[in-house]
Amino acid sequence: MENIKAILLIVVLIFLSLLVIAPVVSAGLVHTPEGVIITHYPDKFDGMGTLYSVEERGIVIDDMFLPFSSQVRYMTPQSVYSSLGYFKQGQKVGYILNDENQITKLCLFLDKRKKHSKK
């Protein structure tokens, strides 16, 4: 009888673990008729635009230089934590600013016009 209780306890713990892990693993891209929603991005952005220049101290978006805060987070559709290396000239981005007008979150948008094809 003790073995059955132990097995039942393990099964319940595994089930509860899956309930916690499943939403984390499934977070990412949601396809809607309006486009793709990236679930780990902020609901609103302080600004959006096209990258013209990418530097370690900041970026130029639509002819405006915006410096990075000391605790900036880079996000891509595939990753909650990314690096500045994924951001290139010509890409569409959204950003969140702190009180000093420094970027605290920089999010890369998917370009739905580009099609990946093999030649």
Short mmCIF file of all heavy atoms in Angstrom, two decimals, residues 27-73:
data_model
loop_
_atom_site.label_atom_id
_atom_site.label_comp_id
_atom_site.label_asym_id
_atom_site.label_seq_id
_atom_site.Cartn_x
_atom_site.Cartn_y
_atom_site.Cartn_z
N ALA A 27 5.15 29.40 -24.84
CA ALA A 27 5.22 30.84 -25.09
C ALA A 27 6.10 31.08 -26.30
O ALA A 27 7.09 30.41 -26.51
CB ALA A 27 5.79 31.55 -23.88
N GLY A 28 5.73 32.02 -27.11
CA GLY A 28 6.51 32.29 -28.31
C GLY A 28 5.66 32.98 -29.34
O GLY A 28 5.18 34.07 -29.10
N LEU A 29 5.43 32.33 -30.46
CA LEU A 29 4.71 32.94 -31.56
C LEU A 29 3.28 32.44 -31.61
O LEU A 29 3.02 31.26 -31.51
CB LEU A 29 5.40 32.59 -32.88
CG LEU A 29 6.88 32.93 -32.99
CD1 LEU A 29 7.41 32.51 -34.35
CD2 LEU A 29 7.14 34.39 -32.76
N VAL A 30 2.34 33.39 -31.78
CA VAL A 30 0.94 33.08 -31.96
C VAL A 30 0.54 33.66 -33.31
O VAL A 30 0.67 34.87 -33.53
CB VAL A 30 0.08 33.68 -30.84
CG1 VAL A 30 -1.39 33.40 -31.09
CG2 VAL A 30 0.50 33.14 -29.48
N HIS A 31 0.07 32.82 -34.22
CA HIS A 31 -0.32 33.28 -35.55
C HIS A 31 -1.79 33.67 -35.55
O HIS A 31 -2.64 32.90 -35.14
CB HIS A 31 -0.06 32.19 -36.59
CG HIS A 31 1.39 31.84 -36.71
ND1 HIS A 31 2.24 32.55 -37.53
CD2 HIS A 31 2.15 30.91 -36.10
CE1 HIS A 31 3.46 32.06 -37.42
NE2 HIS A 31 3.44 31.06 -36.55
N THR A 32 -2.08 34.90 -35.98
CA THR A 32 -3.45 35.39 -36.07
C THR A 32 -3.66 35.92 -37.49
O THR A 32 -2.69 36.12 -38.23
CB THR A 32 -3.68 36.54 -35.06
OG1 THR A 32 -2.89 37.66 -35.46
CG2 THR A 32 -3.34 36.12 -33.65
N PRO A 33 -4.92 36.18 -37.89
CA PRO A 33 -5.15 36.75 -39.23
C PRO A 33 -4.46 38.10 -39.42
O PRO A 33 -4.08 38.46 -40.52
CB PRO A 33 -6.67 36.92 -39.28
CG PRO A 33 -7.20 35.93 -38.30
CD PRO A 33 -6.16 35.83 -37.21
N GLU A 34 -4.25 38.85 -38.31
CA GLU A 34 -3.60 40.15 -38.40
C GLU A 34 -2.09 40.05 -38.49
O GLU A 34 -1.42 41.01 -38.81
CB GLU A 34 -3.96 41.01 -37.17
CG GLU A 34 -5.42 41.37 -37.09
CD GLU A 34 -6.28 40.25 -36.52
OE1 GLU A 34 -5.75 39.39 -35.81
OE2 GLU A 34 -7.48 40.23 -36.82
N GLY A 35 -1.53 38.91 -38.15
CA GLY A 35 -0.08 38.74 -38.18
C GLY A 35 0.38 37.88 -37.02
O GLY A 35 -0.42 37.19 -36.40
N VAL A 36 1.65 37.95 -36.73
CA VAL A 36 2.24 37.13 -35.68
C VAL A 36 2.35 37.95 -34.40
O VAL A 36 2.80 39.09 -34.43
CB VAL A 36 3.64 36.63 -36.11
CG1 VAL A 36 4.32 35.87 -34.98
CG2 VAL A 36 3.52 35.75 -37.34
N ILE A 37 1.92 37.36 -33.30
CA ILE A 37 2.06 37.99 -31.99
C ILE A 37 3.15 37.25 -31.24
O ILE A 37 3.13 36.02 -31.16
CB ILE A 37 0.75 37.93 -31.20
CG1 ILE A 37 -0.34 38.69 -31.95
CG2 ILE A 37 0.94 38.49 -29.79
CD1 ILE A 37 -1.72 38.47 -31.38
N ILE A 38 4.09 37.98 -30.69
CA ILE A 38 5.18 37.37 -29.93
C ILE A 38 4.84 37.53 -28.46
O ILE A 38 4.80 38.65 -27.95
CB ILE A 38 6.53 38.02 -30.31
CG1 ILE A 38 6.74 37.84 -31.81
CG2 ILE A 38 7.66 37.40 -29.51
CD1 ILE A 38 7.65 38.80 -32.44
N THR A 39 4.57 36.42 -27.80
CA THR A 39 3.97 36.47 -26.47
C THR A 39 4.93 36.94 -25.38
O THR A 39 4.47 37.37 -24.34
CB THR A 39 3.38 35.11 -26.08
OG1 THR A 39 4.41 34.12 -26.12
CG2 THR A 39 2.26 34.72 -27.01
N HIS A 40 6.24 36.88 -25.58
CA HIS A 40 7.14 37.34 -24.54
C HIS A 40 7.55 38.81 -24.72
O HIS A 40 8.33 39.33 -23.94
CB HIS A 40 8.38 36.44 -24.43
CG HIS A 40 9.19 36.33 -25.68
ND1 HIS A 40 8.98 35.33 -26.59
CD2 HIS A 40 10.19 37.07 -26.16
CE1 HIS A 40 9.83 35.47 -27.60
NE2 HIS A 40 10.59 36.52 -27.35
N TYR A 41 6.99 39.49 -25.70
CA TYR A 41 7.26 40.91 -25.89
C TYR A 41 6.32 41.74 -25.01
O TYR A 41 5.24 41.30 -24.65
CB TYR A 41 7.04 41.29 -27.35
CG TYR A 41 8.20 40.98 -28.27
CD1 TYR A 41 9.28 40.22 -27.86
CD2 TYR A 41 8.20 41.45 -29.56
CE1 TYR A 41 10.33 39.93 -28.72
CE2 TYR A 41 9.24 41.17 -30.43
CZ TYR A 41 10.30 40.41 -30.00
OH TYR A 41 11.33 40.14 -30.85
N PRO A 42 6.71 42.98 -24.72
CA PRO A 42 5.81 43.87 -23.96
C PRO A 42 4.52 44.12 -24.75
O PRO A 42 4.50 44.04 -25.98
CB PRO A 42 6.61 45.17 -23.84
CG PRO A 42 8.03 44.80 -24.11
CD PRO A 42 8.00 43.61 -25.01
N ASP A 43 3.45 44.46 -24.03
CA ASP A 43 2.17 44.76 -24.68
C ASP A 43 2.23 46.06 -25.48
O ASP A 43 1.57 46.20 -26.50
CB ASP A 43 1.05 44.86 -23.64
CG ASP A 43 0.75 43.53 -22.99
OD1 ASP A 43 1.00 42.47 -23.61
OD2 ASP A 43 0.28 43.54 -21.84
N LYS A 44 3.00 47.02 -24.99
CA LYS A 44 3.13 48.32 -25.65
C LYS A 44 4.60 48.68 -25.75
O LYS A 44 5.41 48.25 -24.93
CB LYS A 44 2.43 49.41 -24.83
CG LYS A 44 0.95 49.32 -24.79
CD LYS A 44 0.41 50.49 -24.00
CE LYS A 44 -1.08 50.50 -23.97
NZ LYS A 44 -1.61 51.63 -23.20
N PHE A 45 4.91 49.52 -26.74
CA PHE A 45 6.26 50.03 -26.92
C PHE A 45 6.24 51.55 -26.83
O PHE A 45 5.24 52.17 -27.19
CB PHE A 45 6.84 49.60 -28.27
CG PHE A 45 7.08 48.12 -28.38
CD1 PHE A 45 6.13 47.29 -28.93
CD2 PHE A 45 8.25 47.57 -27.91
CE1 PHE A 45 6.35 45.93 -29.01
CE2 PHE A 45 8.48 46.22 -27.99
CZ PHE A 45 7.52 45.39 -28.55
N ASP A 46 7.34 52.14 -26.38
CA ASP A 46 7.46 53.59 -26.38
C ASP A 46 7.71 54.10 -27.79
O ASP A 46 7.42 55.25 -28.11
CB ASP A 46 8.60 54.04 -25.46
CG ASP A 46 8.27 53.79 -24.00
OD1 ASP A 46 7.10 53.92 -23.61
OD2 ASP A 46 9.19 53.44 -23.24
N GLY A 47 8.25 53.25 -28.64
CA GLY A 47 8.48 53.62 -30.02
C GLY A 47 8.81 52.41 -30.86
O GLY A 47 9.16 51.35 -30.35
N MET A 48 8.65 52.58 -32.18
CA MET A 48 8.97 51.53 -33.15
C MET A 48 9.57 52.20 -34.37
O MET A 48 9.30 53.38 -34.63
CB MET A 48 7.71 50.76 -33.55
CG MET A 48 7.09 49.97 -32.43
SD MET A 48 5.62 49.08 -32.94
CE MET A 48 4.40 50.37 -32.75
N GLY A 49 10.37 51.45 -35.11
CA GLY A 49 10.93 52.01 -36.32
C GLY A 49 11.93 51.09 -36.97
O GLY A 49 12.03 49.91 -36.61
N THR A 50 12.67 51.64 -37.91
CA THR A 50 13.66 50.90 -38.67
C THR A 50 15.05 51.25 -38.16
O THR A 50 15.38 52.42 -38.00
CB THR A 50 13.57 51.25 -40.17
OG1 THR A 50 12.24 50.97 -40.61
CG2 THR A 50 14.55 50.45 -40.99
N LEU A 51 15.87 50.22 -37.95
CA LEU A 51 17.25 50.43 -37.50
C LEU A 51 18.09 50.99 -38.64
O LEU A 51 18.08 50.46 -39.74
CB LEU A 51 17.88 49.10 -37.08
CG LEU A 51 17.58 48.59 -35.70
CD1 LEU A 51 18.19 47.22 -35.50
CD2 LEU A 51 18.09 49.53 -34.66
N TYR A 52 18.79 52.07 -38.36
CA TYR A 52 19.72 52.63 -39.34
C TYR A 52 21.16 52.37 -38.96
O TYR A 52 22.02 52.26 -39.82
CB TYR A 52 19.48 54.13 -39.51
CG TYR A 52 18.27 54.42 -40.36
CD1 TYR A 52 17.03 54.63 -39.78
CD2 TYR A 52 18.36 54.44 -41.74
CE1 TYR A 52 15.92 54.86 -40.56
CE2 TYR A 52 17.25 54.67 -42.53
CZ TYR A 52 16.03 54.89 -41.93
OH TYR A 52 14.92 55.11 -42.70
N SER A 53 21.43 52.29 -37.66
CA SER A 53 22.79 52.08 -37.19
C SER A 53 22.73 51.36 -35.85
O SER A 53 21.87 51.66 -35.02
CB SER A 53 23.49 53.43 -37.04
OG SER A 53 24.76 53.26 -36.47
N VAL A 54 23.65 50.41 -35.66
CA VAL A 54 23.71 49.64 -34.42
C VAL A 54 25.12 49.77 -33.85
O VAL A 54 26.09 49.44 -34.51
CB VAL A 54 23.38 48.14 -34.67
CG1 VAL A 54 23.44 47.35 -33.38
CG2 VAL A 54 22.04 47.98 -35.35
N GLU A 55 25.20 50.28 -32.62
CA GLU A 55 26.47 50.42 -31.93
C GLU A 55 26.33 49.85 -30.52
O GLU A 55 25.22 49.64 -30.06
CB GLU A 55 26.86 51.90 -31.83
CG GLU A 55 26.97 52.60 -33.16
CD GLU A 55 27.16 54.10 -33.00
OE1 GLU A 55 27.53 54.55 -31.90
OE2 GLU A 55 26.93 54.82 -33.97
N GLU A 56 27.45 49.66 -29.85
CA GLU A 56 27.40 49.13 -28.48
C GLU A 56 26.75 50.10 -27.51
O GLU A 56 26.12 49.69 -26.54
CB GLU A 56 28.80 48.76 -27.99
CG GLU A 56 29.26 47.41 -28.49
CD GLU A 56 30.52 46.96 -27.77
OE1 GLU A 56 30.65 47.18 -26.56
OE2 GLU A 56 31.36 46.38 -28.46
N ARG A 57 26.89 51.39 -27.74
CA ARG A 57 26.35 52.37 -26.78
C ARG A 57 24.91 52.78 -27.09
O ARG A 57 24.24 53.38 -26.26
CB ARG A 57 27.24 53.60 -26.71
CG ARG A 57 27.39 54.33 -28.01
CD ARG A 57 28.40 55.48 -27.90
NE ARG A 57 28.43 56.23 -29.14
CZ ARG A 57 27.75 57.33 -29.37
NH1 ARG A 57 26.98 57.83 -28.43
NH2 ARG A 57 27.82 57.94 -30.53
N GLY A 58 24.42 52.44 -28.28
CA GLY A 58 23.05 52.80 -28.65
C GLY A 58 22.77 52.51 -30.10
O GLY A 58 23.61 51.95 -30.81
N ILE A 59 21.58 52.89 -30.55
CA ILE A 59 21.18 52.64 -31.93
C ILE A 59 20.54 53.89 -32.52
O ILE A 59 20.09 54.78 -31.80
CB ILE A 59 20.18 51.46 -32.03
CG1 ILE A 59 18.97 51.71 -31.15
CG2 ILE A 59 20.84 50.15 -31.67
CD1 ILE A 59 17.89 50.65 -31.26
N VAL A 60 20.51 53.93 -33.84
CA VAL A 60 19.78 54.97 -34.55
C VAL A 60 18.55 54.33 -35.16
O VAL A 60 18.65 53.37 -35.93
CB VAL A 60 20.65 55.63 -35.64
CG1 VAL A 60 19.84 56.65 -36.43
CG2 VAL A 60 21.88 56.28 -35.03
N ILE A 61 17.39 54.85 -34.77
CA ILE A 61 16.11 54.38 -35.30
C ILE A 61 15.43 55.57 -35.97
O ILE A 61 15.20 56.60 -35.33
CB ILE A 61 15.20 53.82 -34.19
CG1 ILE A 61 15.87 52.62 -33.51
CG2 ILE A 61 13.84 53.43 -34.74
CD1 ILE A 61 15.10 52.07 -32.33
N ASP A 62 15.13 55.43 -37.25
CA ASP A 62 14.46 56.49 -38.00
C ASP A 62 15.14 57.85 -37.77
O ASP A 62 14.50 58.84 -37.41
CB ASP A 62 12.98 56.56 -37.64
CG ASP A 62 12.22 55.30 -38.04
OD1 ASP A 62 12.66 54.61 -38.99
OD2 ASP A 62 11.21 55.00 -37.40
N ASP A 63 16.45 57.92 -37.95
CA ASP A 63 17.25 59.15 -37.83
C ASP A 63 17.33 59.73 -36.42
O ASP A 63 17.63 60.90 -36.24
CB ASP A 63 16.73 60.23 -38.79
CG ASP A 63 16.89 59.81 -40.24
OD1 ASP A 63 17.83 59.06 -40.55
OD2 ASP A 63 16.06 60.23 -41.07
N MET A 64 17.06 58.93 -35.38
CA MET A 64 17.15 59.41 -34.00
C MET A 64 18.02 58.45 -33.19
O MET A 64 17.77 57.25 -33.16
CB MET A 64 15.74 59.47 -33.38
CG MET A 64 15.74 59.96 -31.95
SD MET A 64 14.07 60.20 -31.29
CE MET A 64 13.48 58.52 -31.25
N PHE A 65 19.09 59.00 -32.57
CA PHE A 65 19.96 58.17 -31.74
C PHE A 65 19.32 57.94 -30.38
O PHE A 65 18.85 58.87 -29.74
CB PHE A 65 21.33 58.83 -31.54
CG PHE A 65 22.24 58.03 -30.65
CD1 PHE A 65 22.88 56.89 -31.14
CD2 PHE A 65 22.42 58.38 -29.32
CE1 PHE A 65 23.71 56.13 -30.33
CE2 PHE A 65 23.25 57.63 -28.50
CZ PHE A 65 23.89 56.49 -29.00
N LEU A 66 19.29 56.68 -29.96
CA LEU A 66 18.78 56.31 -28.64
C LEU A 66 19.85 55.50 -27.93
O LEU A 66 20.24 54.43 -28.41
CB LEU A 66 17.50 55.48 -28.77
CG LEU A 66 16.29 56.22 -29.35
CD1 LEU A 66 15.21 55.24 -29.76
CD2 LEU A 66 15.77 57.21 -28.33
N PRO A 67 20.33 55.98 -26.77
CA PRO A 67 21.35 55.23 -26.03
C PRO A 67 20.73 54.07 -25.27
O PRO A 67 19.55 54.07 -24.94
CB PRO A 67 21.91 56.28 -25.06
CG PRO A 67 20.78 57.22 -24.83
CD PRO A 67 20.01 57.26 -26.12
N PHE A 68 21.55 53.06 -25.00
CA PHE A 68 21.13 51.92 -24.20
C PHE A 68 21.31 52.25 -22.72
O PHE A 68 22.25 52.93 -22.33
CB PHE A 68 21.97 50.67 -24.52
CG PHE A 68 21.75 50.13 -25.90
CD1 PHE A 68 22.84 49.87 -26.71
CD2 PHE A 68 20.48 49.87 -26.39
CE1 PHE A 68 22.66 49.35 -27.99
CE2 PHE A 68 20.30 49.37 -27.66
CZ PHE A 68 21.39 49.10 -28.46
N SER A 69 20.40 51.72 -21.89
CA SER A 69 20.61 51.80 -20.45
C SER A 69 21.67 50.76 -20.08
O SER A 69 22.03 49.90 -20.88
CB SER A 69 19.31 51.53 -19.69
OG SER A 69 19.02 50.15 -19.66
N SER A 70 22.16 50.83 -18.85
CA SER A 70 23.18 49.86 -18.42
C SER A 70 22.58 48.46 -18.27
O SER A 70 23.31 47.48 -18.27
CB SER A 70 23.82 50.31 -17.11
OG SER A 70 22.83 50.42 -16.11
N GLN A 71 21.27 48.35 -18.18
CA GLN A 71 20.59 47.06 -18.01
C GLN A 71 19.63 46.79 -19.17
O GLN A 71 18.48 46.43 -18.95
CB GLN A 71 19.83 47.04 -16.68
CG GLN A 71 20.69 47.19 -15.46
CD GLN A 71 21.65 46.01 -15.30
OE1 GLN A 71 21.27 44.86 -15.47
NE2 GLN A 71 22.90 46.30 -14.97
N VAL A 72 20.08 46.96 -20.38
CA VAL A 72 19.21 46.75 -21.54
C VAL A 72 19.01 45.25 -21.80
O VAL A 72 19.90 44.45 -21.58
CB VAL A 72 19.80 47.45 -22.80
CG1 VAL A 72 21.12 46.85 -23.21
CG2 VAL A 72 18.82 47.40 -23.96
N ARG A 73 17.79 44.89 -22.22
CA ARG A 73 17.48 43.51 -22.59
C ARG A 73 17.14 43.48 -24.08
O ARG A 73 16.30 44.23 -24.56
CB ARG A 73 16.30 42.96 -21.81
CG ARG A 73 16.04 41.50 -22.20
CD ARG A 73 14.74 40.94 -21.72
NE ARG A 73 14.70 40.83 -20.28
CZ ARG A 73 13.65 40.34 -19.63
NH1 ARG A 73 12.59 39.92 -20.29
NH2 ARG A 73 13.67 40.27 -18.33
#
